[in-house]
Amino acid sequence: MTSTTHARMPGPGGPPPDKLAFTEPSGRRRITPVRVGREFRPNPPLPQLMRKAVLDDRGQRCVQVRLGARAAENQEARALLDTEAGIAFRLNQLLGDTEYTALFPRLIGYELDTAEPFLLYHPPRGTDVAQIHVMGAADQEIFTRDLMLALCLLEGQGLVPRGISPATVRWDGAKAQLWGLESVTRIGLPRRPWGPTPFCPPEQRGREGVVDPRDAVWSAAQLLYRLATGRLGPADGPPADLGEHRKLDRTLRDAFAPRAADRPTPAQVLDLMAQGAARRVRLAVPPDETRPHHEAFEEALRLKRQAPGARPRNGSTSTSGQGSGQGSADGEVLCPYCLETIRLDLTKLFVTDSRMQYQPLDPAGIKNPLRRTDIMRGAVQKCTADPEFPTHYIPVPYLTYGRPLTVAMVGQSSTGKSHLLTQMIAAITDGGLEPFGLTWQSVNPEQHARFLRDRVQPLRNGKVLDHTAALGMDDFARFVESLLITDARGQVRPVAFFDLGGEDLVRTDAALRFLLGVDALVFVVDPALALPLPQLDHARERWGVEVNRDGDLAFGTVLDRLPKSGGYLDVPAAMVLGKADLLRFQPPVDRWLSRPPTTSLDPELIREESRDLYGLLRRHAGQAWLRPFDAIRRCTLHIASATGGQEDQGRYPAGAGPRRVLEPLLALLTMHGLIQVPGGAEALAVGEAPALEAVPWEEAAGAGDAEGPERFERSSERSFERSDGPEEPDGSEGGEHQ
């Protein structure tokens, strides 16, 4: 230890500058004096810095991996540190105190939502193998076994390390240890070059195909050749002198194949060295506890498909008894405020003046057609359909494009509704709808400009948005933004968004009457309120909240206000686990939150995400938090983060980086027929009935056909094989508490 400089203050109300605050893998918050040593860069192409440290509350020696302030401003650098933290956290949870823990860095703690994020590890074992010229044959065998054990454990989690090289593997004379966890990626994602030649496999170097567990076998084989000979091997195939190294040749000859399909898997190499070793590794990993919850999800979908009054799959659903076409023949639409029908009336138009006061508009006096169209787009009409309802105005485009679609955000105060909605709108303005054949235009340019100025721009710049103001006693719900969405068929539909404060959503008075006319709902789940996981304890303490096993009060109020049809509510809905960055290392959140933004809708993938989130909530939060899914027939579940991290000293350190915020809205637009998907809008939410579910048994089994039961048995065997098979490869915000 060559210096005694101190860590920075991590956040508002935090410890003094000579102390370090971080979260342990258990979720416990720890604050300790710290002494740090000289800083160095362990892998020069990467932004992470490393230094030794001593945590003086326990005299605990460790190493700190961190980003400096400038590097931390880069989202890609933060993503690398996030990846490393997530893999280290998962391995810590998975391996516990087993014999395999020593194969990987052991995490002490982390602090990621700060200006200079960092991780703390137990001191590395041994030395980088880059410092070893040649390794003896006996050591090579142990080293190979350890590397393959590590690769098998990662493969079991659907992961592959891309960065195996002399700089990322350590050896202490008895055991290997794999570092470089920032290079780990998911099986099935597109290959990208990583690491130096020849350790980077040929297909990875050429960006060919998708990540395969056998990519890492190539890297391990190249590393072992280097340790056996002291030389680097060829970059595109087996070394010419491989036969001179008998053990290496016997164990890893095929590992040097240029194509992954021709290489052995980590388990095959491991079993070649010690028969049955791969199976023992699998048995050491805790069993999958999600299966019962996934089965409950499938049963819930089956009941929804069989419910009476189910809507036909016509690619467009009707809600609230209003139909979803382009409006009635006489041009009437439903006023989103008073819920009375209204049509365009040129005698009741107004525009705002420079003081934002309404002034009457007589369009007949505007002779220039271009100017008339532009003025009409910014005009509003006074609604007088209900004389007893407070004065309210409707944008003219809302009345001229047929049947509007209204979307309401639902959740208690401080759940992140406003941040999520703001980032949804921002994603739309950034062209997020274009891959789906949709275009957009603002309904009211002035209102849209105000929304961008007051909400989108400050949030993008890292500012925490204020709480949504509560309605007054005589006030009514108003939409905060509205857009004109044009689908691939050229049909235009106004889409308006309501965002009420949590205090208003738990009321039962006339202020919530607008819900009777709402076409789609977004239920936002706050993980701090729903999930009693220890890693959320610090967030709960910071925000002064507790786990609520009875579910979100706003969910219940809204659901109780809406009429049922056939046992279920028939308004399309999406449930969103918001602030998911708080759980970005928790399966299955880590899997979905790390996926790139959606550019095409796959109903099977959407149901898979719904199933995973359903399982997480059912297992940890309880059925009360799933009440929207249980009550609404067409309901998808999504994982999203509006900001990508938590605030630090009132701001988001690297700006607000949204993740998967548009997916819930895309599902709702699909359920309303604006986006076409295989199987139709209905299949997106409730799935397609298997043949044996949809067809009577006599027909399914083949009445009078002796082979019918045999066909059923064979079909059942195939479905069991699929359900037990490997998982398909896959690929928070603030203000309100943040």
Side-chain angles (χ1 to χ4, degrees):
M1 196 68 58
T2 58
S3 69
T4 56
T5 58
H6 299 292
R8 295 181 176 222
M9 184 187 302
D18 61 339
K19 292 189 177 181
L20 196 68
F22 58 91
T23 301
E24 296 180 328
S26 66
R28 192 176 73 87
R29 193 70 175 166
R30 183 172 165 189
I31 301 174
T32 173
V34 61
R35 289 173 290 142
V36 297
R38 183 176 57 83
E39 202 161 60
F40 63 97
R41 194 181 298 276
N43 193 342
L46 298 179
Q48 294 98 314
L49 302 170
M50 181 180 282
R51 58 188 178 187
K52 296 179 180 178
V54 177
L55 308 178
D56 280 336
D57 61 342
R58 302 175 189 171
Q60 185 177 19
R61 294 186 177 275
C62 64
V63 294
Q64 183 188 50
V65 176
R66 73 184 198 95
L67 296 177
R70 179 169 296 180
E73 294 176 357
N74 185 297
Q75 289 287 4
E76 291 185 3
R78 280 186 174 267
L80 278 179
L81 196 67
D82 256 26
T83 296
E84 180 177 353
I87 301 301
F89 180 85
R90 173 181 279 201
L91 292 171
N92 184 90
Q93 300 295 96
L94 182 73
L95 302 178
D97 295 326
T98 67
E99 60 180 301
Y100 304 114
T101 302
L103 294 170
F104 302 99
R106 290 184 60 199
L107 187 66
I108 292 175
Y110 55 90
E111 181 69 20
L112 298 173
D113 297 321
T114 187
E116 297 184 14
F118 63 85
L119 311 175
L120 297 172
Y121 292 110
H122 288 273
R125 289 188 301 99
T127 183
D128 292 342
V129 297
Q131 301 179 38
I132 301 174
H133 180 59
V134 174
M135 183 180 284
D139 285 351
Q140 286 180 43
E141 188 166 355
I142 299 171
F143 187 86
T144 304
R145 179 206 65 194
D146 285 355
L147 262 187
M148 293 304 149
L149 282 170
L151 297 187
C152 280
L153 287 162
L154 289 170
E155 182 184 0
Q157 301 301 303
L159 303 170
V160 179
R162 295 174 294 176
I164 294 176
S165 75
T168 60
V169 185
R170 302 180 70 88
W171 174 250
D172 66 358
K175 206 167 190 63
Q177 190 175 52
L178 178 62
W179 285 68
L181 300 184
E182 72 281 343
S183 76
V184 174
T185 190
R186 291 190 176 277
I187 297 171
L189 289 179
R191 285 189 176 105
R192 294 174 53 196
W194 187 290
T197 303
F199 305 100
C200 180
E203 291 166 298
Q204 183 174 302
R205 198 165 61 245
R207 300 176 182 266
E208 302 172 24
V210 296
V211 173
D212 187 293
R214 293 167 289 189
D215 296 349
V217 174
W218 165 281
S219 303
Q222 289 286 355
L223 178 57
L224 284 156
Y225 179 80
R226 150 73 175 75
L227 289 173
T229 66
R231 303 186 303 274
L232 296 177
D236 299 304
D241 62 344
L242 189 59
E244 299 175 15
H245 307 276
R246 284 190 305 164
K247 284 196 174 181
L248 191 61
D249 185 38
R250 181 178 64 86
T251 308
L252 290 170
R253 167 163 287 279
D254 292 338
F256 292 96
R259 298 187 60 80
D262 300 323
R263 299 177 207 134
T265 66
Q268 288 170 333
V269 177
L270 189 57
D271 279 341
L272 188 63
M273 302 183 67
Q275 190 64 35
R279 182 175 181 274
R280 289 193 294 274
V281 171
R282 287 194 294 269
L283 291 175
V285 175
D288 181 13
E289 298 181 0
T290 63
R291 183 179 294 272
H293 308 291
H294 290 174
E295 291 173 350
F297 172 78
E298 296 298 339
E299 174 64 10
L301 290 189
R302 186 185 69 81
L303 294 174
K304 290 183 179 188
R305 288 192 294 266
Q306 296 181 348
R311 305 286 181 177
R313 293 179 187 158
N314 56 10
S316 177
T317 62
S318 67
T319 61
S320 305
Q322 299 173 33
S324 63
Q326 290 298 302
S328 62
D330 58 3
E332 287 189 339
V333 299
L334 193 74
C335 172
Y337 301 139
C338 69
L339 302 186
E340 299 293 339
T341 55
I342 183 177
R343 64 166 61 90
L344 182 65
D345 185 342
L346 299 181
T347 67
K348 299 178 180 178
L349 302 188
F350 294 82
V351 291
T352 54
D353 60 18
S354 59
R355 296 178 298 171
M356 301 304 295
Q357 300 297 311
Y358 285 122
Q359 301 296 335
L361 171 67
D362 179 11
I366 307 173
K367 304 303 182 184
N368 185 318
L370 292 176
R371 183 168 175 269
R372 184 176 188 274
T373 299
D374 185 61
I375 292 176
M376 288 287 283
R377 187 178 165 212
V380 296
Q381 176 174 315
K382 185 176 182 179
C383 176
T384 57
D386 183 352
E388 309 233 337
F389 198 83
T391 302
H392 54 291
Y393 299 86
I394 310 298
V396 166
Y398 199 87
L399 304 171
T400 55
Y401 287 99
R403 169 83 173 88
L405 189 157
T406 51
V407 181
M409 309 294 291
V410 182
Q412 289 178 222
S413 292
S414 306
T415 56
K417 302 187 306 296
S418 295
H419 289 78
L420 179 61
L421 175 57
T422 298
Q423 295 289 36
M424 279 183 182
I425 302 301
I428 291 172
T429 61
D430 284 344
L433 296 180
E434 292 176 5
F436 308 94
L438 305 182
T439 58
W440 70 277
Q441 188 179 24
S442 63
V443 168
N444 184 295
E446 185 178 307
Q447 179 194 48
H448 180 68
R450 186 165 59 249
F451 187 89
L452 293 179
R453 182 183 66 247
D454 296 345
R455 294 178 64 163
V456 173
Q457 292 173 2
L459 182 56
R460 282 183 163 176
N461 292 333
K463 182 182 178 182
V464 178
L465 298 181
D466 294 330
H467 293 281
T468 304
L471 297 176
M473 292 300 295
D474 299 323
D475 207 350
F476 59 93
R478 296 177 174 85
F479 53 77
V480 297
E481 174 63 308
S482 53
L483 303 172
L484 295 174
I485 304 294
T486 304
D487 66 17
R489 297 163 295 184
Q491 295 180 342
V492 182
R493 192 145 181 210
V495 181
F497 299 89
F498 286 89
D499 180 24
L500 270 67
E503 299 88 347
D504 296 314
L505 287 170
V506 297
R507 293 161 57 177
T508 57
D509 59 17
L512 294 188
R513 188 170 65 173
F514 83 100
L515 288 169
L516 300 176
V518 163
D519 302 290
L521 297 165
V522 179
F523 294 89
V524 183
V525 176
D526 186 338
L529 297 176
L531 298 165
L533 297 171
Q535 58 264 45
L536 296 172
D537 288 345
H538 175 58
R540 280 188 278 268
E541 180 182 353
R542 180 181 181 186
W543 299 333
V545 300
E546 296 179 350
V547 173
N548 185 351
R549 301 294 296 186
D550 297 322
D552 190 309
L553 295 176
F555 292 4
T557 303
V558 170
L559 292 171
D560 291 341
R561 195 68 181 260
L562 299 173
K564 283 188 176 181
S565 172
Y568 290 97
L569 299 174
D570 213 38
V571 52
M575 287 186 68
V576 184
L577 181 70
K579 306 181 186 177
D581 53 273
L582 286 167
L583 294 171
R584 55 189 182 266
F585 308 141
Q586 173 78 32
V589 175
D590 58 346
R591 174 190 176 192
W592 294 102
L593 200 60
S594 62
R595 291 178 67 88
T598 299
T599 55
S600 63
L601 286 183
D602 180 350
E604 184 60 36
L605 206 58
I606 291 174
R607 287 196 300 275
E608 197 173 330
E609 182 178 6
S610 295
R611 181 205 65 188
D612 284 353
L613 180 51
Y614 180 95
L616 177 71
L617 293 175
R618 187 173 187 267
R619 179 182 175 190
H620 295 290
Q623 206 69 37
W625 280 94
L626 286 163
R627 189 179 171 193
F629 178 84
D630 291 337
I632 298 172
R633 205 174 68 82
R634 293 181 298 276
C635 182
T636 55
L637 293 88
H638 307 266
I639 290 167
S641 169
T643 59
Q646 297 298 294
E647 65 172 284
D648 180 32
Q649 303 185 58
R651 296 188 63 82
Y652 301 105
R659 300 188 192 182
R660 298 182 63 77
V661 295
L662 199 53
E663 279 72 3
L665 181 60
L666 292 171
L668 294 175
L669 295 178
T670 302
M671 285 186 268
H672 273 279
L674 277 74
I675 301 174
Q676 306 300 311
V677 295
E682 186 79 3
L684 181 83
V686 298
E688 295 183 286
L692 290 173
E693 178 183 313
V695 180
W697 162 253
E698 291 78 11
E699 296 179 40
D705 180 357
E707 195 183 347
E710 293 177 13
R711 282 204 303 267
F712 171 68
E713 290 174 7
R714 289 197 296 269
S715 173
S716 299
E717 288 170 1
R718 286 194 296 271
S719 65
F720 289 142
E721 289 170 2
R722 285 195 299 272
S723 65
D724 289 336
E727 177 182 307
E728 277 190 25
D730 52 26
S732 266
E733 57 271 23
E736 308 171 322
H737 267 340
Q738 301 175 55

